[in-house]
Amino acid sequence: MYNDYAVLRSDLNSGKLTAVDVVKYYLANIEKGKHLNAFLSVFKEEAKETASEVDKKIKNCTAGRLAGMVVAVKDVLSLKNKTLTCGSKILENFEALYTATAVQRLIDEDAIIIGKTNCDEFAMGSSNENSAYGAVKNPYDHTRVPGGSSGGSAVAVAADMCMVSLGTDTGGSVRQPAALCGVVGFKPTYGRVSRFGLTAFASSFDTIGPFAKNVQDIALVLEVMAGWDEKDSTCVKKEVENYSSAIGSINENEMTIGIVSDLPSEGLQKEIKDTTDKVIGFLKSNGYQIKPVELPHAKYSIQTYYILTTAEASSNLARYDGARYGHRSKDSKTTEDMNVNSRTEGFGPEVKRRIMLGTYVLSAGYYDAYYKKAQRVRRLIKQDFENAFKEVDLIIMPTTPTTAFKIGEKIDDPLSMYLNDIFTTSSNLSGNPSISIPVGMDNSGLPIGLQIIGRDFDEIGVLKLANYIMRNC
Ligand code: GLN
């Protein structure tokens, strides 16, 4: 119905339609798109009730900045008194005790939360096939994956089941599904958005980011979510700029764009390479300086990422022991039995694989060889970005090596699955802000994403260029 919040809001303000109409429209689409399996819970009645409250506020001119914006939230983010499954059997009936700061800030501005979206178990995956509640399907081709781990959130926006959704990005889980589903997905700088209420996977990597159909809506939502929060000690005390009003103006001649000359290009689909080159050509002809940069250690990103995130995950996931909350195995004789059986029954194969891997790289005999070494490589990757950003303002590269692959194609081959993250993990290792925007289709009619990475806390630069490309290219 509406691809753009500003247009919707002006129609809400003028009384052309009501927030209740908007909610009904999205609920009908959720019902129509049930086979895509994008939602794990839908708050039908509650969303309509909230909408009617919002309508009153709009009439009284007391409505917040996001009044009537219908939002879906990935099911790793807490919403008080609502189930928080994390796509896992181990938390099947668990209800959250509080609301995540990022979600609360949207609610405080009168956004309407319509439901929780499906995802890979504990956000571990690139295809959404690791959810205990079934795979999510790509709306462009139901035999293909939507990407992961925030696949449900990407599909919810792509299939018009909400206006905006929230996902989480630890190694690409917002940008990769955005690319595969033809929508915009943004990963903020680490520390820009509070992680309070986000179920931890790899705490030094985890970020919360929005999906939308355009950059303007991403900027607005980010502006509301971002900023210091006393409940997250890694959240940075730094002023939040006015992203939504800053992104419109751009001075091409003042911007230098980097293209990575030593990017690992093995397995890069030709149409993705060609489309990326086309965008670069377009920028060049419109006055942008294009300059090659090197990221010499980026080729180690996947290895480094999978050592460090599994190490952090093995520690974070130790809390699911059947004792305090979540699934508890029925017939265990000792506490240890209960712990082992609850975890054996509650976790899926990918989560178990990562816990094992993480425990291994942290174990006494291997800590130096794997964990410590990977931490050093992480520092080098960060340094690579710092060096590159002395030369250029922004870096452009593909988001993914291929467009959406077939459901089942990679599930038995973790290495080939992990390689899907080849272009996204480096900015999680370094913490830099990055976005994926849709820039075209391959020969089978599947969406192609382009990634833009910026300096730490230069969300504005990233959003500006993204907006410019989407509007003009
Ligand atoms: N696909 C990556 C992984 O499996 C990224 C996950 C994420 O960003 N949450 O770890």
Side-chain angles (χ1 to χ4, degrees), residues 24-40:
K24 282 185 183 160
Y25 167 82
Y26 287 122
L27 285 174
N29 273 358
I30 292 174
E31 192 55 38
K32 253 188 260 161
K34 246 185 164 158
H35 57 284
L36 299 173
N37 201 21
F39 279 82
L40 293 179

Side-chain angles (χ1 to χ4, degrees), residues 123-126 149 168-173 201 305-306 354 421:
M124 297 176 190
S126 310
S149 62
T168 61
D169 194 313
T170 302
S173 280
F201 157 16
Y305 169 83
Y306 276 94
R354 296 204 192 191
D421 307 326

